[in-house]
Amino acid sequence: MAAVWQQVLAVDDFEEDPRAQGARGHRRSVSRGSYQLQAQMNRAVYDERPPGSLVPTSVAEASRAMAGDTTLSENYAFAGMHHIFDQHVDSAVPRLQFANDDKHLLACCSLDGTLSIMTLSPPPASVKVTLKGHGGPVTDFAWSLSNDIIVSTSLDGTLRIWNTEDGRCIREVRDPESSELLCCTFQPMNNNLTVKYITVHFTKINLRCKHHLQVVNISTGKKVKGGSSKLTGRVLSLSFDAPGRILWAGDDRGSIFSFLFDMATGKLTKAKRLVVNEGSSICSISARSWISREARDPSLLVNACVNKLLLYRVVDNEGTLQLKRSFPIQHGSQLVHSIFCPLMSFRQGACVVTGSEDACVYFFDVERNTKAIVNKLQGHGGPVLDVSFNCDESLLASADSTGMVIIWRREQK
């Protein structure tokens, strides 16, 4: 397909009514409570910087001195493959993710209808438990904050809740019309988990194939009143900001929508729409409050099937996006995903990682104006669909369309 790449700068307003402000949540990695305030401060203090550049600070200078002379390229050098998992061979693995704040626990889902939870320590690495029960390909999953629960979606029209210790299916939430469920994410500020998995209220965002976003209480299986919205296409990607106030959704028609999430009621209010490229699938969205100590603007990392990895700046409290950078990759049709590196770097530079249809994993420094590639990992036998770092960045996992999962070990300095 010879799709014409164009960036549509116009942003459509869907609602004029004042937005209800939700309850105030904690701000783990948010530099300021307001995106608008952060943008105003950046403009006031750094108005002489080049357009689109990142924000240097005196704090970052001190942090860089603490880190020594190690470059970003040296920091993300890998010693080779640590382990290869092939339990899903011949079926694509569309998603994988390390558990929250964990070095050695990893999960992935497969189009063969199962999920795997893998442990990398103590050696040898092994499959801890296989989650079986879906009647169709598994499209997405998410870890709970305390890692004792996984929620998964499938083309069989069900959302399932799993105990990660023994692999039991705790609850099945079936779509009334058996619509395909394509993606899901936890609402970060309403992810209150205890050992009593069923009695605690969870809030979950999932997708119906009929172009609906729906907020669901997964402890009861009931839809949240006001937590539904229609969209122009099939939603393939979802991401909340850190405080859980803004939800971005990307569809298969090239649009990214932002929604305001009412923390008290679970209501979704459609706010903004950005057309990235008409007819292209927005298959990955990742939000970050800071990219690094030097890149202080809230940002969104997007894969959009346009042979580029896109980095956007979030400019206001309604999730309006402004293109900051793009990086060349091979990506025209597969559901390829990308991530921000989890640790804020003490070094100059900020790194993002993406899969690619050329069977490689790419690392990009978002601060470099030229030669932005920091590293390139080769070893997969098909398009790399997803990547995930563990919490201390010592291990990177990548999954491809052939069902292979590779664990890469970073060189020890």
Side-chain angles (χ1 to χ4, degrees), residues 332-403:
S333 60
Q334 299 284 334
L335 301 183
V336 172
H337 296 80
S338 59
I339 57 169
F340 292 98
C341 291
L343 297 182
M344 291 184 185
S345 177
F346 286 107
R347 299 158 183 83
Q348 183 170 8
C351 201
V352 296
V353 187
T354 182
S356 178
E357 291 178 359
D358 63 358
C360 297
V361 177
Y362 288 93
F363 296 71
F364 292 102
D365 182 353
V366 301
E367 289 193 32
R368 289 188 187 178
N369 293 324
T370 59
K371 298 182 180 180
I373 295 179
V374 172
N375 198 357
K376 175 182 176 180
L377 302 180
Q378 297 174 291
H380 282 280
V384 179
L385 304 180
D386 202 5
V387 290
S388 179
F389 260 121
N390 66 352
C391 63
D392 67 353
E393 295 186 352
S394 60
L395 297 172
L396 175 76
S398 55
D400 66 29
S401 61
T402 71

Side-chain angles (χ1 to χ4, degrees), residues 72-84:
L72 201 66
S73 297
E74 293 171 332
N75 190 53
Y76 288 107
F78 283 77
M81 297 180 187
H82 176 71
H83 191 81
I84 297 176

Side-chain angles (χ1 to χ4, degrees), residues 284-287 299-303 309-311 338-340 352-353:
S284 176
I285 299 176
S286 181
S299 299
L300 217 64
L301 191 63
V302 175
N303 292 85
L309 176 65
L310 307 173
L311 182 66
S338 59
I339 57 169
F340 292 98
V352 296
V353 187

Side-chain angles (χ1 to χ4, degrees), residues 38-101:
Q38 182 64 58
Q40 290 173 351
M41 292 180 66
N42 287 345
R43 285 195 298 268
V45 179
Y46 305 107
D47 54 359
E48 296 181 359
R49 60 180 172 150
S53 64
L54 302 173
V55 182
T57 68
S58 57
V59 176
E61 294 289 345
S63 299
R64 190 183 306 147
M66 292 171 59
D69 297 327
T70 306
T71 66
L72 201 66
S73 297
E74 293 171 332
N75 190 53
Y76 288 107
F78 283 77
M81 297 180 187
H82 176 71
H83 191 81
I84 297 176
F85 290 98
D86 61 359
Q87 68 271 20
H88 299 293
V89 68
D90 297 329
S91 293
V93 174
R95 301 305 309 273
L96 84 167
Q97 184 182 2
F98 275 97
N100 297 303
D101 299 322

